[in-house]
């Protein structure tokens, strides 16, 4: 226990590595990952470092910083090395843990409490998911969080103004270079509003901080916009078209009602009950050890939620900026519970704590039975993982309940973190035992096949980024947004997405004949016709011959 409290940074490092770095190559590439990886690969192979591309077409929707970082790792590990390409996003998640610890320590001056906040964030469900589902987001929010940690110091302490101001400006700009103004709006703006409400910018001496503040803003602006200005001048037509499309999406794409995000606490996963309790200001205001800091994290969370709710376009992954201050806010409830559970809490106050840890303990102890029920016919080759995972999770679950019975809540908290790391290390490989799609067929070998060497391969329709990533090189597109191109040559191959089959055949009749060669299906677990099977991950390869 003393070692943990004396070495919080080591605890954060070990926890982050266990949750984010182990088994990086197991889960199939997602659509957002594939886009980022393809752009990085084309930087390496084609030199598209500034005028970024996706399948050799302009890709200016997102700034290039995450792709640059990914490309550097691709140069080190190889552009086809999935774990190596995923590693920088995972390290950014780890950096978020350190940034939360640093910010929390500045707020509350308590190492154990700050460590708890960092561990809560690192083990939150959608923070883990976002590292795979959308790498751009983790860069934007991670870098912004680092910038905010320096910005808080710039506002609150008189020393090191230039250092804190320049670092804040740099990281805020780098966040913008990761996903535009998303984190600026959803994380920084609510931070500034909450800070003004609670701390009222006390101690902010204008004449002392005006010059470093000005330089900070100029630095953040310069780092943020230089690439956009370059692309605007170098490729104005494509930049204009993409900008118009992106702007339209904010008001017409994935439009959801205002209250869509108001179940946000469940996205924190295992911390849902403590997160809910942490939002009960009338209950906690006289119980927390740092009332001002608690008010600040509460308002930061609520303002972030409110600002995101105003935007018409909504997706579950857009909630990650809310989960960051929510982790800090949840820490206040857990810190109070740990400090007072034995002697200072009434029986009815203990009830949510009991429910929280009983549920977690039950999850761990139930794993062997639930996993066997769902996987019993498909465990061949996975029995070792199943046995190890079952022993580990059952044991950890039992120890959580034992510590709860002894009213040692901090130990139960730490065991919860151990439970999450054990799931990642021992249970994640069992996804390979899930039901397989009998029609699964990868496209990875096509680019090196004899057919591809003898015939040029084209795509008809919007082929899935995952398909292009697995294929290994870019695939020229015959059907764009405005025109259809007929390739030169008497014989060539065409990959056709299901939605474009009819138009494809009508375009090439009667001057060409077409023959179905094979069907590629990247749906790993979902069979055709079943829920979860995505037609966009299917492409049919035709041999097309001129009559």
């Amino acid at each position: 226990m003393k070692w943990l409290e004396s070495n919080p940074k080591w605890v954060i490092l070990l926890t982050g590595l266990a949750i984010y770095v182990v088994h990086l190559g197991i889960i199939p590439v997602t659509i957002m990952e594939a886009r980022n990886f393809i752009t990085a690969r084309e930087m390496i192979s084609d030199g598209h470092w500034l005028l970024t591309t996706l399948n050799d077409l302009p890709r200016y929707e997102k700034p290039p910083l995450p792709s640059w970082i990914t490309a550097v790792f691709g140069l080190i590990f190889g552009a086809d090395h999935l774990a190596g390409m995923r590693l920088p996003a995972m390290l950014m998640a780890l950096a978020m843990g350190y940034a939360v610890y640093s910010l929390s320590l500045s707020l509350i001056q308590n190492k154990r409490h700050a460590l708890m906040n960092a561990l809560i964030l690192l083990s939150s469900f959608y923070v883990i998911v976002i590292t795979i589902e959308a790498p751009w987001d983790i860069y934007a929010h991670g870098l912004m969080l680092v910038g905010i940690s320096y910005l808080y110091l710039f506002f609150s302490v008189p020393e090191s103004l230039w250092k804190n101001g320049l670092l804040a400006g740099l990281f805020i700009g780098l966040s913008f270079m990761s996903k535009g103004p998303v984190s600026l709006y959803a994380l920084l703006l609510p931070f500034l509003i909450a800070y003004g409400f609670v701390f009222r910018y006390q101690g902010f001496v204008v004449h002392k901080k005006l010059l470093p503040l000005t330089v900070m803003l100029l630095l953040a602006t310069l780092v943020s916009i230089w690439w956009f200005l370059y692309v605007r001048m170098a490729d104005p037509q494509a930049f204009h078209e993409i900008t118009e499309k992106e702007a339209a999406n904010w008001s017409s794409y994935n439009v959801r009602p205002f209250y869509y995000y108001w179940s946000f606490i469940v996205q924190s996963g295992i911390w849902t009950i403590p997160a809910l309790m942490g939002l009960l200001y009338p209950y906690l205001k006289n119980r927390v050890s740092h009332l001002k800091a608690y008010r600040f994290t509460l308002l930061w969370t609520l303002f972030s939620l409110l600002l995101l709710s105003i935007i018409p376009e909504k997706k579950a992954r857009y909630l990650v900026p809310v989960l960051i201050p929510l982790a800090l806010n949840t820490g206040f409830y857990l810190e109070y519970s740990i400090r007072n559970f034995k002697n200072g809490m009434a029986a009815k106050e203990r009830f949510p704590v009991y429910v929280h840890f009983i549920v977690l303990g039950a999850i761990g102890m139930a794993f062997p039975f639930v996993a066997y029920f769902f996987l019993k016919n498909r465990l061949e080759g996975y029995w070792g993982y199943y046995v190890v995972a079952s022993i580990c999770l059952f044991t950890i679950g039992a120890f959580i309940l034992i510590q709860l019975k002894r009213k040692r809540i901090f130990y139960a908290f730490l065991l919860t973190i151990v439970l999450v790391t054990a799931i990642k290390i021992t249970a994640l490989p069992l996804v390979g035992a899930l039901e397989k799609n009998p029609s699964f067929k990868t496209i990875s070998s096509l680019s090196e096949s004899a057919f591809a060497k003898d015939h040029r391969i084209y795509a008809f329709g919007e082929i899935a980024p995952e398909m292009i990533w697995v294929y290994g090189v870019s695939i020229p597109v015959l059907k764009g947004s405005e025109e259809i191109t007929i390739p030169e040559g008497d014989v060539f191959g065409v990959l056709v997405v299901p939605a474009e089959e009819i138009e494809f055949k009508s375009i090439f009749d009667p001057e060409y004949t077409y023959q179905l060669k094979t069907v590629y299906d990247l749906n790993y677990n979902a069979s055709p016709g079943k829920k979860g099977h995505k037609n966009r991950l299917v492409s049919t390869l035709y041999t097309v011959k001129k009559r």
Side-chain angles (χ1 to χ4, degrees):
M1 179 64 65
K2 288 184 178 179
W3 184 89
L4 293 176
E5 296 186 18
S6 301
N7 299 275
K9 293 182 179 180
W10 278 105
V11 177
I12 294 170
L13 176 64
L14 295 174
T15 302
L17 292 177
I19 295 176
Y20 291 94
V21 178
V22 177
H23 298 315
L24 286 184
I26 289 180
I27 299 174
V29 170
T30 62
I31 182 172
M32 294 298 291
E33 267 194 317
R35 288 171 177 162
N36 199 16
F37 292 170
I38 294 166
T39 299
R41 183 171 65 194
E42 292 179 5
M43 288 176 178
I44 296 170
S45 61
D46 303 321
H48 298 167
W49 291 89
L50 291 175
L51 295 178
T52 51
T53 56
L54 173 63
N55 198 33
D56 274 341
L57 299 173
R59 176 66 179 168
Y60 308 145
E61 289 87 345
K62 303 292 186 296
L65 181 59
S67 298
W68 287 340
I69 298 172
T70 306
V72 171
F73 278 73
L75 288 170
I76 297 170
F77 295 100
D80 59 346
H81 192 282
L82 180 56
M85 298 290 273
R86 278 177 168 164
L87 182 58
M90 306 303 163
L91 296 179
M92 186 56 63
L94 181 57
M96 286 178 64
Y98 280 115
V100 163
Y101 174 79
S102 176
L103 179 58
S104 300
L105 194 58
S106 300
L107 275 169
I108 56 183
Q109 303 298 315
N110 184 307
K111 283 188 176 182
R112 189 172 83 166
H113 190 167
L115 173 63
M116 289 172 57
N117 291 351
L119 296 180
I120 291 168
L121 181 70
L122 289 174
S123 56
S124 293
F125 170 71
Y126 225 93
V127 175
I128 296 173
V129 171
I130 207 70
T131 55
I132 298 295
E133 187 176 285
W136 277 296
D137 296 62
I138 198 68
Y139 287 98
H141 304 318
L143 291 166
M144 182 60 75
L145 186 57
V146 175
I148 286 173
S149 69
Y150 285 110
L151 187 61
Y152 177 82
L153 293 175
F154 180 81
F155 287 153
S156 60
V157 299
E159 297 83 14
S160 304
L161 287 181
W162 282 101
K163 172 191 170 184
N164 293 327
L166 289 174
L167 288 172
L170 174 63
F171 282 104
I172 290 170
L174 292 176
S175 172
F176 198 98
M177 276 292 289
S178 298
K179 206 182 177 185
V182 171
S183 201
L184 195 75
Y185 175 81
L187 193 58
L188 178 60
L189 181 57
F191 165 85
L192 294 173
I193 298 172
Y195 190 91
F197 267 91
V198 175
F199 300 109
R200 303 184 184 280
Y201 294 95
Q202 293 173 354
F204 191 86
V205 182
V206 176
H207 70 275
K208 288 185 177 180
K209 297 186 178 181
L210 182 59
L211 182 57
L213 176 63
T214 302
V215 175
M216 177 209 304
L217 295 175
L218 288 173
L219 177 61
T221 302
L222 180 62
V223 174
S224 297
I225 67 172
W226 74 267
W227 177 81
F228 294 93
L229 294 176
Y230 171 80
V231 175
R232 176 66 179 84
M233 292 185 292
D235 193 1
Q237 182 176 349
F239 181 82
H240 178 71
E241 292 173 356
I242 290 171
T243 302
E244 281 193 338
K245 181 180 177 182
E246 285 293 293
N249 284 345
W250 281 98
S251 59
S252 62
Y253 182 66
N254 280 320
V255 174
R256 298 288 189 272
F258 178 82
Y259 55 82
Y260 179 76
Y261 287 140
W262 290 79
S263 60
F264 67 99
I265 56 171
V266 301
Q267 300 294 355
S268 61
I270 60 172
W271 305 113
T272 296
I273 294 175
L276 176 61
M277 296 302 298
L279 295 172
L280 301 180
Y281 178 76
Y283 166 67
L284 275 183
K285 65 177 182 178
N286 295 322
R287 292 172 169 84
V288 295
S289 53
H290 298 83
L291 180 56
K292 266 196 170 183
Y294 168 63
R295 285 176 178 165
F296 167 65
T297 60
L298 177 64
L299 288 177
W300 187 7
T301 303
L302 296 179
F303 280 126
S304 179
L305 177 65
L306 177 62
L307 290 175
L308 283 171
S309 298
I310 293 171
I311 302 297
E313 183 185 5
K314 296 179 177 68
K315 294 180 182 178
R317 61 185 172 87
Y318 292 173
L319 268 174
V320 170
V322 182
L323 298 182
I324 293 170
L326 181 66
L328 279 73
N329 196 71
T330 303
F332 283 103
Y333 173 72
L334 286 171
E335 190 275 336
Y336 164 71
S337 300
I338 290 168
R339 184 165 34 90
N340 294 279
F341 192 79
K342 276 189 177 181
N343 303 312
M345 294 179 76
K348 62 180 180 181
E349 282 189 277
R350 294 175 183 161
F351 179 74
V353 181
Y354 275 117
V355 172
H356 169 68
F357 287 110
I358 287 173
V359 169
L360 293 178
I363 289 173
M365 296 181 70
F367 175 83
F369 311 102
V370 175
Y372 183 77
F373 177 79
F374 284 103
L375 303 176
K376 58 183 176 182
N377 297 324
R378 296 185 294 274
L379 282 172
E380 185 176 353
Y382 294 91
W383 279 105
Y385 283 115
Y386 168 76
V387 171
V388 172
S390 296
I391 293 172
C392 289
L393 299 184
F394 185 91
T395 303
I396 295 168
F399 272 107
I400 289 175
L401 297 180
I402 290 170
Q403 297 304 324
L404 178 63
K405 183 178 179 181
R406 294 176 178 174
K407 299 182 180 179
R408 301 170 75 177
I409 304 303
F410 186 58
Y411 286 93
F413 169 83
L414 293 176
L415 284 167
T416 300
I417 305 301
V418 175
L419 179 70
V420 176
T421 61
I423 291 172
K424 178 65 183 293
I425 294 172
T426 66
L428 185 62
L430 290 174
V431 299
L434 295 173
E435 181 181 354
K436 303 292 192 302
N437 173 16
S439 300
F440 175 83
K441 185 174 183 179
T442 182
I443 198 173
S444 60
S445 60
L446 176 59
S447 62
E448 297 297 326
S449 67
F451 180 83
K453 290 178 180 179
D454 294 336
H455 307 94
R456 189 73 185 271
I457 306 294
Y458 299 90
F460 192 90
E462 188 176 353
I463 192 166
E466 298 97 316
M467 195 75 69
I468 300 170
W469 165 251
V470 175
Y471 183 67
V473 294
S474 62
I475 308 173
V477 178
L478 299 180
K479 182 185 177 184
S481 58
E482 297 180 355
E483 59 182 17
I484 296 175
T485 304
I486 303 297
E488 296 180 358
D490 295 332
V491 184
F492 47 88
V494 181
L495 288 162
V496 185
V497 298
E500 304 288 353
E501 289 271 357
I502 296 176
E503 185 173 5
F504 161 74
K505 293 176 180 178
S506 67
I507 292 295
F508 285 93
D509 274 336
E511 289 86 1
Y512 294 82
T513 62
Y514 46 85
Q515 180 180 1
L516 189 153
K517 186 171 180 63
T518 191
V519 178
Y520 296 101
D521 187 344
L522 296 187
N523 289 278
Y524 190 74
N525 297 113
S527 303
K530 288 191 175 182
K531 184 179 179 181
H533 187 271
K534 301 172 183 176
N535 275 342
R536 68 175 192 81
L537 293 178
V538 178
S539 288
T540 303
L541 177 62
Y542 286 94
T543 304
V544 181
K545 296 182 180 181
K546 198 168 188 177
R547 290 184 186 273

